[in-house]
PDB file of all heavy atoms in Angstrom:
ATOM      1  N   VAL H   1     152.932 160.349-137.030  1.00 98.00           N
ATOM      2  CA  VAL H   1     154.248 160.183-136.411  1.00 98.00           C
ATOM      3  C   VAL H   1     154.134 160.694-134.955  1.00 98.00           C
ATOM      4  O   VAL H   1     155.133 160.478-134.168  1.00 98.00           O
ATOM      5  CB  VAL H   1     155.369 160.914-137.130  1.00 98.00           C
ATOM      6  CG1 VAL H   1     155.521 160.289-138.466  1.00 98.00           C
ATOM      7  CG2 VAL H   1     155.050 162.438-137.335  1.00 98.00           C
ATOM      8  N   ALA H   2     153.113 161.312-134.558  1.00 98.00           N
ATOM      9  CA  ALA H   2     152.954 161.837-133.120  1.00 98.00           C
ATOM     10  C   ALA H   2     151.420 162.179-133.001  1.00 98.00           C
ATOM     11  O   ALA H   2     150.733 162.331-133.972  1.00 98.00           O
ATOM     12  CB  ALA H   2     153.845 162.988-132.825  1.00 98.00           C
ATOM     13  N   TYR H   3     151.071 162.607-131.718  1.00 98.00           N
ATOM     14  CA  TYR H   3     149.780 163.075-131.474  1.00 98.00           C
ATOM     15  C   TYR H   3     149.864 164.440-130.805  1.00 98.00           C
ATOM     16  O   TYR H   3     150.854 164.768-130.099  1.00 98.00           O
ATOM     17  CB  TYR H   3     148.978 162.239-130.564  1.00 98.00           C
ATOM     18  CG  TYR H   3     148.722 160.841-131.038  1.00 98.00           C
ATOM     19  CD1 TYR H   3     149.002 159.738-130.213  1.00 98.00           C
ATOM     20  CD2 TYR H   3     148.133 160.575-132.256  1.00 98.00           C
ATOM     21  CE1 TYR H   3     148.690 158.481-130.705  1.00 98.00           C
ATOM     22  CE2 TYR H   3     147.870 159.351-132.708  1.00 98.00           C
ATOM     23  CZ  TYR H   3     148.211 158.227-131.873  1.00 98.00           C
ATOM     24  OH  TYR H   3     147.854 157.010-132.330  1.00 98.00           O
ATOM     25  N   ASP H   4     148.893 165.304-130.996  1.00 98.00           N
ATOM     26  CA  ASP H   4     148.663 166.549-130.308  1.00 98.00           C
ATOM     27  C   ASP H   4     147.605 166.291-129.289  1.00 98.00           C
ATOM     28  O   ASP H   4     146.477 165.973-129.612  1.00 98.00           O
ATOM     29  CB  ASP H   4     148.283 167.658-131.159  1.00 98.00           C
ATOM     30  CG  ASP H   4     148.100 168.981-130.484  1.00 98.00           C
ATOM     31  OD1 ASP H   4     147.055 169.180-129.764  1.00 98.00           O
ATOM     32  OD2 ASP H   4     149.012 169.862-130.482  1.00 98.00           O
ATOM     33  N   LEU H   5     147.866 166.430-127.933  1.00 98.00           N
ATOM     34  CA  LEU H   5     146.892 166.352-126.903  1.00 98.00           C
ATOM     35  C   LEU H   5     146.823 167.647-126.102  1.00 98.00           C
ATOM     36  O   LEU H   5     147.786 167.924-125.334  1.00 98.00           O
ATOM     37  CB  LEU H   5     147.274 165.130-125.986  1.00 98.00           C
ATOM     38  CG  LEU H   5     146.271 164.900-124.835  1.00 98.00           C
ATOM     39  CD1 LEU H   5     144.815 164.631-125.274  1.00 98.00           C
ATOM     40  CD2 LEU H   5     146.677 163.733-123.904  1.00 98.00           C
ATOM     41  N   ASN H   6     145.835 168.366-126.378  1.00 97.00           N
ATOM     42  CA  ASN H   6     145.598 169.724-125.685  1.00 97.00           C
ATOM     43  C   ASN H   6     146.809 170.604-125.813  1.00 97.00           C
ATOM     44  O   ASN H   6     147.375 171.187-124.869  1.00 97.00           O
ATOM     45  CB  ASN H   6     145.347 169.421-124.176  1.00 97.00           C
ATOM     46  CG  ASN H   6     144.056 168.627-123.947  1.00 97.00           C
ATOM     47  OD1 ASN H   6     143.049 168.789-124.641  1.00 97.00           O
ATOM     48  ND2 ASN H   6     144.084 167.736-122.917  1.00 97.00           N
ATOM     49  N   GLY H   7     147.381 170.620-126.991  1.00 97.00           N
ATOM     50  CA  GLY H   7     148.515 171.408-127.272  1.00 97.00           C
ATOM     51  C   GLY H   7     149.847 170.905-126.982  1.00 97.00           C
ATOM     52  O   GLY H   7     150.983 171.452-127.268  1.00 97.00           O
ATOM     53  N   GLU H   8     149.967 169.608-126.461  1.00 97.00           N
ATOM     54  CA  GLU H   8     151.242 168.974-126.127  1.00 97.00           C
ATOM     55  C   GLU H   8     151.419 167.812-127.135  1.00 97.00           C
ATOM     56  O   GLU H   8     150.574 167.031-127.493  1.00 97.00           O
ATOM     57  CB  GLU H   8     151.150 168.380-124.777  1.00 97.00           C
ATOM     58  CG  GLU H   8     152.416 167.648-124.239  1.00 97.00           C
ATOM     59  CD  GLU H   8     152.284 166.931-122.938  1.00 97.00           C
ATOM     60  OE1 GLU H   8     151.221 167.080-122.317  1.00 97.00           O
ATOM     61  OE2 GLU H   8     153.296 166.225-122.569  1.00 97.00           O
ATOM     62  N   ARG H   9     152.627 167.725-127.608  1.00 98.00           N
ATOM     63  CA  ARG H   9     153.060 166.630-128.500  1.00 98.00           C
ATOM     64  C   ARG H   9     153.426 165.422-127.760  1.00 98.00           C
ATOM     65  O   ARG H   9     154.308 165.441-126.869  1.00 98.00           O
ATOM     66  CB  ARG H   9     154.205 166.971-129.439  1.00 98.00           C
ATOM     67  CG  ARG H   9     154.601 166.049-130.544  1.00 98.00           C
ATOM     68  CD  ARG H   9     155.817 166.577-131.306  1.00 98.00           C
ATOM     69  NE  ARG H   9     156.366 165.628-132.232  1.00 98.00           N
ATOM     70  CZ  ARG H   9     156.182 165.694-133.625  1.00 98.00           C
ATOM     71  NH1 ARG H   9     155.649 166.737-134.123  1.00 98.00           N
ATOM     72  NH2 ARG H   9     156.744 164.715-134.334  1.00 98.00           N
ATOM     73  N   ILE H  10     152.764 164.265-128.015  1.00 98.00           N
ATOM     74  CA  ILE H  10     153.059 163.041-127.329  1.00 98.00           C
ATOM     75  C   ILE H  10     153.307 161.915-128.319  1.00 98.00           C
ATOM     76  O   ILE H  10     152.829 161.992-129.520  1.00 98.00           O
ATOM     77  CB  ILE H  10     151.972 162.608-126.360  1.00 98.00           C
ATOM     78  CG1 ILE H  10     150.624 162.359-127.180  1.00 98.00           C
ATOM     79  CG2 ILE H  10     151.706 163.670-125.330  1.00 98.00           C
ATOM     80  CD1 ILE H  10     149.507 161.864-126.246  1.00 98.00           C
ATOM     81  N   ASP H  11     154.060 160.903-127.951  1.00 98.00           N
ATOM     82  CA  ASP H  11     154.523 159.855-128.898  1.00 98.00           C
ATOM     83  C   ASP H  11     153.875 158.510-128.455  1.00 98.00           C
ATOM     84  O   ASP H  11     154.438 157.433-128.884  1.00 98.00           O
ATOM     85  CB  ASP H  11     156.035 159.762-128.853  1.00 98.00           C
ATOM     86  CG  ASP H  11     156.578 159.392-127.488  1.00 98.00           C
ATOM     87  OD1 ASP H  11     155.837 159.294-126.512  1.00 98.00           O
ATOM     88  OD2 ASP H  11     157.813 159.164-127.477  1.00 98.00           O
ATOM     89  N   TYR H  12     152.683 158.476-127.865  1.00 98.00           N
ATOM     90  CA  TYR H  12     152.103 157.269-127.510  1.00 98.00           C
ATOM     91  C   TYR H  12     150.437 157.639-127.423  1.00 98.00           C
ATOM     92  O   TYR H  12     150.127 158.737-127.271  1.00 98.00           O
ATOM     93  CB  TYR H  12     152.577 156.596-126.227  1.00 98.00           C
ATOM     94  CG  TYR H  12     152.225 157.411-125.034  1.00 98.00           C
ATOM     95  CD1 TYR H  12     151.244 157.106-124.154  1.00 98.00           C
ATOM     96  CD2 TYR H  12     152.946 158.489-124.752  1.00 98.00           C
ATOM     97  CE1 TYR H  12     150.868 157.867-122.999  1.00 98.00           C
ATOM     98  CE2 TYR H  12     152.630 159.363-123.608  1.00 98.00           C
ATOM     99  CZ  TYR H  12     151.617 159.020-122.696  1.00 98.00           C
ATOM    100  OH  TYR H  12     151.293 159.695-121.639  1.00 98.00           O
ATOM    101  N   LEU H  13     149.727 156.509-127.467  1.00 98.00           N
ATOM    102  CA  LEU H  13     148.291 156.643-127.275  1.00 98.00           C
ATOM    103  C   LEU H  13     147.991 156.433-125.733  1.00 98.00           C
ATOM    104  O   LEU H  13     148.231 155.395-125.188  1.00 98.00           O
ATOM    105  CB  LEU H  13     147.462 155.647-127.993  1.00 98.00           C
ATOM    106  CG  LEU H  13     145.970 155.850-128.030  1.00 98.00           C
ATOM    107  CD1 LEU H  13     145.635 157.114-128.764  1.00 98.00           C
ATOM    108  CD2 LEU H  13     145.246 154.583-128.622  1.00 98.00           C
ATOM    109  N   PRO H  14     147.408 157.439-125.042  1.00 97.00           N
ATOM    110  CA  PRO H  14     147.153 157.325-123.636  1.00 97.00           C
ATOM    111  C   PRO H  14     146.223 156.220-123.335  1.00 97.00           C
ATOM    112  O   PRO H  14     145.395 155.849-124.187  1.00 97.00           O
ATOM    113  CB  PRO H  14     146.532 158.755-123.287  1.00 97.00           C
ATOM    114  CG  PRO H  14     146.930 159.690-124.363  1.00 97.00           C
ATOM    115  CD  PRO H  14     146.975 158.758-125.683  1.00 97.00           C
ATOM    116  N   ALA H  15     146.201 155.744-122.159  1.00 96.00           N
ATOM    117  CA  ALA H  15     145.309 154.735-121.661  1.00 96.00           C
ATOM    118  C   ALA H  15     143.857 155.154-121.502  1.00 96.00           C
ATOM    119  O   ALA H  15     142.906 154.427-121.584  1.00 96.00           O
ATOM    120  CB  ALA H  15     145.845 154.112-120.420  1.00 96.00           C
ATOM    121  N   SER H  16     143.785 156.447-121.179  1.00 96.00           N
ATOM    122  CA  SER H  16     142.384 157.022-120.931  1.00 96.00           C
ATOM    123  C   SER H  16     141.579 157.118-122.227  1.00 96.00           C
ATOM    124  O   SER H  16     142.005 157.726-123.252  1.00 96.00           O
ATOM    125  CB  SER H  16     142.566 158.415-120.297  1.00 96.00           C
ATOM    126  OG  SER H  16     141.255 159.209-120.429  1.00 96.00           O
ATOM    127  N   SER H  17     140.410 156.480-122.155  1.00 95.00           N
ATOM    128  CA  SER H  17     139.459 156.552-123.324  1.00 95.00           C
ATOM    129  C   SER H  17     139.124 158.020-123.663  1.00 95.00           C
ATOM    130  O   SER H  17     138.992 158.340-124.878  1.00 95.00           O
ATOM    131  CB  SER H  17     138.281 155.752-122.992  1.00 95.00           C
ATOM    132  OG  SER H  17     137.305 155.819-124.086  1.00 95.00           O
ATOM    133  N   GLU H  18     138.909 158.811-122.696  1.00 96.00           N
ATOM    134  CA  GLU H  18     138.551 160.230-122.883  1.00 96.00           C
ATOM    135  C   GLU H  18     139.729 160.961-123.739  1.00 96.00           C
ATOM    136  O   GLU H  18     139.388 161.653-124.674  1.00 96.00           O
ATOM    137  CB  GLU H  18     138.347 160.863-121.626  1.00 96.00           C
ATOM    138  CG  GLU H  18     137.935 162.446-121.751  1.00 96.00           C
ATOM    139  CD  GLU H  18     137.766 163.166-120.440  1.00 96.00           C
ATOM    140  OE1 GLU H  18     138.266 162.615-119.406  1.00 96.00           O
ATOM    141  OE2 GLU H  18     137.059 164.155-120.387  1.00 96.00           O
ATOM    142  N   GLN H  19     141.004 160.649-123.325  1.00 97.00           N
ATOM    143  CA  GLN H  19     142.093 161.305-123.968  1.00 97.00           C
ATOM    144  C   GLN H  19     142.278 160.680-125.383  1.00 97.00           C
ATOM    145  O   GLN H  19     142.665 161.396-126.339  1.00 97.00           O
ATOM    146  CB  GLN H  19     143.330 161.113-123.128  1.00 97.00           C
ATOM    147  CG  GLN H  19     143.307 161.990-121.942  1.00 97.00           C
ATOM    148  CD  GLN H  19     144.658 161.782-121.117  1.00 97.00           C
ATOM    149  OE1 GLN H  19     145.336 160.805-121.122  1.00 97.00           O
ATOM    150  NE2 GLN H  19     145.001 162.818-120.375  1.00 97.00           N
ATOM    151  N   GLN H  20     142.010 159.365-125.539  1.00 97.00           N
ATOM    152  CA  GLN H  20     142.090 158.798-126.909  1.00 97.00           C
ATOM    153  C   GLN H  20     141.257 159.429-127.945  1.00 97.00           C
ATOM    154  O   GLN H  20     141.612 159.571-129.068  1.00 97.00           O
ATOM    155  CB  GLN H  20     141.806 157.314-126.709  1.00 97.00           C
ATOM    156  CG  GLN H  20     142.830 156.466-125.961  1.00 97.00           C
ATOM    157  CD  GLN H  20     142.515 155.061-125.744  1.00 97.00           C
ATOM    158  OE1 GLN H  20     141.385 154.648-126.184  1.00 97.00           O
ATOM    159  NE2 GLN H  20     143.325 154.243-125.054  1.00 97.00           N
ATOM    160  N   PHE H  21     140.019 159.863-127.493  1.00 97.00           N
ATOM    161  CA  PHE H  21     139.175 160.511-128.398  1.00 97.00           C
ATOM    162  C   PHE H  21     139.578 161.937-128.733  1.00 97.00           C
ATOM    163  O   PHE H  21     139.180 162.487-129.666  1.00 97.00           O
ATOM    164  CB  PHE H  21     137.791 160.551-127.800  1.00 97.00           C
ATOM    165  CG  PHE H  21     136.938 159.296-128.015  1.00 97.00           C
ATOM    166  CD1 PHE H  21     136.615 158.478-126.923  1.00 97.00           C
ATOM    167  CD2 PHE H  21     136.524 158.998-129.313  1.00 97.00           C
ATOM    168  CE1 PHE H  21     135.966 157.304-127.150  1.00 97.00           C
ATOM    169  CE2 PHE H  21     135.745 157.748-129.426  1.00 97.00           C
ATOM    170  CZ  PHE H  21     135.386 156.930-128.338  1.00 97.00           C
ATOM    171  N   LYS H  22     140.423 162.510-127.847  1.00 97.00           N
ATOM    172  CA  LYS H  22     140.839 163.921-128.000  1.00 97.00           C
ATOM    173  C   LYS H  22     142.143 164.068-128.803  1.00 97.00           C
ATOM    174  O   LYS H  22     142.325 165.156-129.331  1.00 97.00           O
ATOM    175  CB  LYS H  22     141.061 164.588-126.613  1.00 97.00           C
ATOM    176  CG  LYS H  22     139.791 164.864-125.864  1.00 97.00           C
ATOM    177  CD  LYS H  22     140.114 165.590-124.547  1.00 97.00           C
ATOM    178  CE  LYS H  22     138.879 165.908-123.749  1.00 97.00           C
ATOM    179  NZ  LYS H  22     139.133 166.543-122.427  1.00 97.00           N
ATOM    180  N   VAL H  23     143.000 163.091-128.924  1.00 98.00           N
ATOM    181  CA  VAL H  23     144.287 163.245-129.582  1.00 98.00           C
ATOM    182  C   VAL H  23     144.066 163.523-130.985  1.00 98.00           C
ATOM    183  O   VAL H  23     143.115 163.064-131.670  1.00 98.00           O
ATOM    184  CB  VAL H  23     145.183 161.917-129.472  1.00 98.00           C
ATOM    185  CG1 VAL H  23     145.505 161.743-127.986  1.00 98.00           C
ATOM    186  CG2 VAL H  23     144.625 160.721-130.077  1.00 98.00           C
ATOM    187  N   LYS H  24     144.889 164.343-131.565  1.00 98.00           N
ATOM    188  CA  LYS H  24     144.901 164.770-132.999  1.00 98.00           C
ATOM    189  C   LYS H  24     146.208 164.309-133.666  1.00 98.00           C
ATOM    190  O   LYS H  24     147.246 164.426-133.125  1.00 98.00           O
ATOM    191  CB  LYS H  24     144.721 166.206-133.165  1.00 98.00           C
ATOM    192  CG  LYS H  24     143.303 166.730-132.635  1.00 98.00           C
ATOM    193  CD  LYS H  24     143.214 168.297-132.773  1.00 98.00           C
ATOM    194  CE  LYS H  24     141.918 168.748-132.217  1.00 98.00           C
ATOM    195  NZ  LYS H  24     141.845 170.240-132.328  1.00 98.00           N
ATOM    196  N   PRO H  25     146.086 163.597-134.887  1.00 98.00           N
ATOM    197  CA  PRO H  25     147.286 163.119-135.463  1.00 98.00           C
ATOM    198  C   PRO H  25     148.215 164.186-136.003  1.00 98.00           C
ATOM    199  O   PRO H  25     147.781 165.243-136.513  1.00 98.00           O
ATOM    200  CB  PRO H  25     146.688 162.215-136.628  1.00 98.00           C
ATOM    201  CG  PRO H  25     145.418 162.798-136.917  1.00 98.00           C
ATOM    202  CD  PRO H  25     144.895 163.368-135.590  1.00 98.00           C
ATOM    203  N   ILE H  26     149.553 163.969-135.890  1.00 98.00           N
ATOM    204  CA  ILE H  26     150.531 164.823-136.567  1.00 98.00           C
ATOM    205  C   ILE H  26     151.149 163.989-137.637  1.00 98.00           C
ATOM    206  O   ILE H  26     151.633 162.849-137.358  1.00 98.00           O
ATOM    207  CB  ILE H  26     151.556 165.282-135.522  1.00 98.00           C
ATOM    208  CG1 ILE H  26     150.900 166.149-134.475  1.00 98.00           C
ATOM    209  CG2 ILE H  26     152.764 165.986-136.272  1.00 98.00           C
ATOM    210  CD1 ILE H  26     151.851 166.535-133.238  1.00 98.00           C
ATOM    211  N   TYR H  27     151.111 164.512-138.957  1.00 98.00           N
ATOM    212  CA  TYR H  27     151.438 163.620-140.004  1.00 98.00           C
ATOM    213  C   TYR H  27     152.805 163.996-140.614  1.00 98.00           C
ATOM    214  O   TYR H  27     153.255 165.129-140.592  1.00 98.00           O
ATOM    215  CB  TYR H  27     150.355 163.719-141.102  1.00 98.00           C
ATOM    216  CG  TYR H  27     149.057 163.091-140.824  1.00 98.00           C
ATOM    217  CD1 TYR H  27     147.913 163.879-140.705  1.00 98.00           C
ATOM    218  CD2 TYR H  27     148.946 161.721-140.613  1.00 98.00           C
ATOM    219  CE1 TYR H  27     146.627 163.369-140.416  1.00 98.00           C
ATOM    220  CE2 TYR H  27     147.719 161.176-140.336  1.00 98.00           C
ATOM    221  CZ  TYR H  27     146.547 161.913-140.288  1.00 98.00           C
ATOM    222  OH  TYR H  27     145.385 161.358-139.993  1.00 98.00           O
ATOM    223  N   LYS H  28     153.460 163.051-141.289  1.00 98.00           N
ATOM    224  CA  LYS H  28     154.546 163.226-142.176  1.00 98.00           C
ATOM    225  C   LYS H  28     153.817 162.778-143.634  1.00 98.00           C
ATOM    226  O   LYS H  28     153.285 161.737-143.695  1.00 98.00           O
ATOM    227  CB  LYS H  28     155.688 162.384-141.886  1.00 98.00           C
ATOM    228  CG  LYS H  28     156.834 162.555-142.837  1.00 98.00           C
ATOM    229  CD  LYS H  28     158.091 161.643-142.515  1.00 98.00           C
ATOM    230  CE  LYS H  28     159.093 161.720-143.566  1.00 98.00           C
ATOM    231  NZ  LYS H  28     159.659 163.135-143.731  1.00 98.00           N
ATOM    232  N   THR H  29     154.032 163.658-144.536  1.00 98.00           N
ATOM    233  CA  THR H  29     153.508 163.395-145.915  1.00 98.00           C
ATOM    234  C   THR H  29     154.440 162.885-146.868  1.00 98.00           C
ATOM    235  O   THR H  29     155.587 163.370-146.968  1.00 98.00           O
ATOM    236  CB  THR H  29     152.806 164.744-146.350  1.00 98.00           C
ATOM    237  OG1 THR H  29     151.844 165.160-145.449  1.00 98.00           O
ATOM    238  CG2 THR H  29     152.093 164.463-147.712  1.00 98.00           C
ATOM    239  N   PHE H  30     154.043 161.917-147.674  1.00 97.00           N
ATOM    240  CA  PHE H  30     154.798 161.307-148.708  1.00 97.00           C
ATOM    241  C   PHE H  30     154.092 161.492-150.096  1.00 97.00           C
ATOM    242  O   PHE H  30     153.013 161.362-150.127  1.00 97.00           O
ATOM    243  CB  PHE H  30     155.015 159.765-148.505  1.00 97.00           C
ATOM    244  CG  PHE H  30     155.790 159.480-147.174  1.00 97.00           C
ATOM    245  CD1 PHE H  30     155.087 159.532-146.030  1.00 97.00           C
ATOM    246  CD2 PHE H  30     157.111 159.128-147.248  1.00 97.00           C
ATOM    247  CE1 PHE H  30     155.802 159.252-144.791  1.00 97.00           C
ATOM    248  CE2 PHE H  30     157.846 158.852-146.064  1.00 97.00           C
ATOM    249  CZ  PHE H  30     157.063 158.857-144.910  1.00 97.00           C
ATOM    250  N   ALA H  31     155.013 161.617-151.114  1.00 97.00           N
ATOM    251  CA  ALA H  31     154.336 161.683-152.407  1.00 97.00           C
ATOM    252  C   ALA H  31     153.978 160.274-152.866  1.00 97.00           C
ATOM    253  O   ALA H  31     154.639 159.263-152.506  1.00 97.00           O
ATOM    254  CB  ALA H  31     155.441 162.239-153.435  1.00 97.00           C
ATOM    255  N   GLY H  32     152.761 160.151-153.373  1.00 97.00           N
ATOM    256  CA  GLY H  32     152.299 158.767-153.906  1.00 97.00           C
ATOM    257  C   GLY H  32     153.179 158.335-155.084  1.00 97.00           C
ATOM    258  O   GLY H  32     153.707 159.168-155.815  1.00 97.00           O
ATOM    259  N   TRP H  33     153.200 157.061-155.260  1.00 97.00           N
ATOM    260  CA  TRP H  33     153.955 156.471-156.398  1.00 97.00           C
ATOM    261  C   TRP H  33     153.266 156.327-157.681  1.00 97.00           C
ATOM    262  O   TRP H  33     153.837 156.204-158.729  1.00 97.00           O
ATOM    263  CB  TRP H  33     154.644 155.189-155.972  1.00 97.00           C
ATOM    264  CG  TRP H  33     153.631 154.166-155.214  1.00 97.00           C
ATOM    265  CD1 TRP H  33     152.832 153.302-155.809  1.00 97.00           C
ATOM    266  CD2 TRP H  33     153.501 154.013-153.916  1.00 97.00           C
ATOM    267  NE1 TRP H  33     152.103 152.567-154.806  1.00 97.00           N
ATOM    268  CE2 TRP H  33     152.580 153.054-153.614  1.00 97.00           C
ATOM    269  CE3 TRP H  33     154.091 154.687-152.757  1.00 97.00           C
ATOM    270  CZ2 TRP H  33     152.202 152.702-152.387  1.00 97.00           C
ATOM    271  CZ3 TRP H  33     153.676 154.254-151.513  1.00 97.00           C
ATOM    272  CH2 TRP H  33     152.717 153.326-151.236  1.00 97.00           C
ATOM    273  N   LYS H  34     151.870 156.464-157.599  1.00 96.00           N
ATOM    274  CA  LYS H  34     151.034 156.587-158.866  1.00 96.00           C
ATOM    275  C   LYS H  34     151.371 155.503-159.900  1.00 96.00           C
ATOM    276  O   LYS H  34     151.277 155.796-161.095  1.00 96.00           O
ATOM    277  CB  LYS H  34     151.155 158.001-159.406  1.00 96.00           C
ATOM    278  CG  LYS H  34     150.800 159.139-158.485  1.00 96.00           C
ATOM    279  CD  LYS H  34     149.290 159.197-158.236  1.00 96.00           C
ATOM    280  CE  LYS H  34     148.555 159.518-159.387  1.00 96.00           C
ATOM    281  NZ  LYS H  34     147.052 159.750-159.130  1.00 96.00           N
ATOM    282  N   SER H  35     151.671 154.396-159.461  1.00 95.00           N
ATOM    283  CA  SER H  35     151.921 153.223-160.326  1.00 95.00           C
ATOM    284  C   SER H  35     151.552 151.935-159.629  1.00 95.00           C
ATOM    285  O   SER H  35     151.546 151.893-158.388  1.00 95.00           O
ATOM    286  CB  SER H  35     153.321 153.154-160.920  1.00 95.00           C
ATOM    287  OG  SER H  35     154.256 153.061-159.895  1.00 95.00           O
ATOM    288  N   SER H  36     151.278 150.812-160.340  1.00 95.00           N
ATOM    289  CA  SER H  36     150.796 149.634-159.792  1.00 95.00           C
ATOM    290  C   SER H  36     151.887 148.819-159.077  1.00 95.00           C
ATOM    291  O   SER H  36     152.936 148.713-159.608  1.00 95.00           O
ATOM    292  CB  SER H  36     150.147 148.751-160.852  1.00 95.00           C
ATOM    293  OG  SER H  36     149.683 147.546-160.261  1.00 95.00           O
TER     294      SER H  36
END
């Protein structure tokens, strides 16, 4: 739902390839439905 880039929370993927490799994902977790 967001990225962490050098300690800053951002809501888009930067254009810089160097920064794209550095971003870390911030997740929202959901329970699985465990059925077909």
Side-chain angles (χ1 to χ4, degrees):
V1 295
Y3 298 130
D4 179 286
L5 178 60
N6 300 321
E8 179 186 357
R9 184 182 175 112
I10 60 174
D11 62 356
Y12 69 100
L13 187 70
S16 163
S17 177
E18 182 181 22
Q19 291 182 332
Q20 289 174 1
F21 279 109
K22 287 182 179 179
V23 297
K24 297 177 181 178
I26 298 172
Y27 290 117
K28 180 177 175 63
T29 302
F30 297 78
W33 43 90
K34 301 290 289 183
S35 59
S36 178

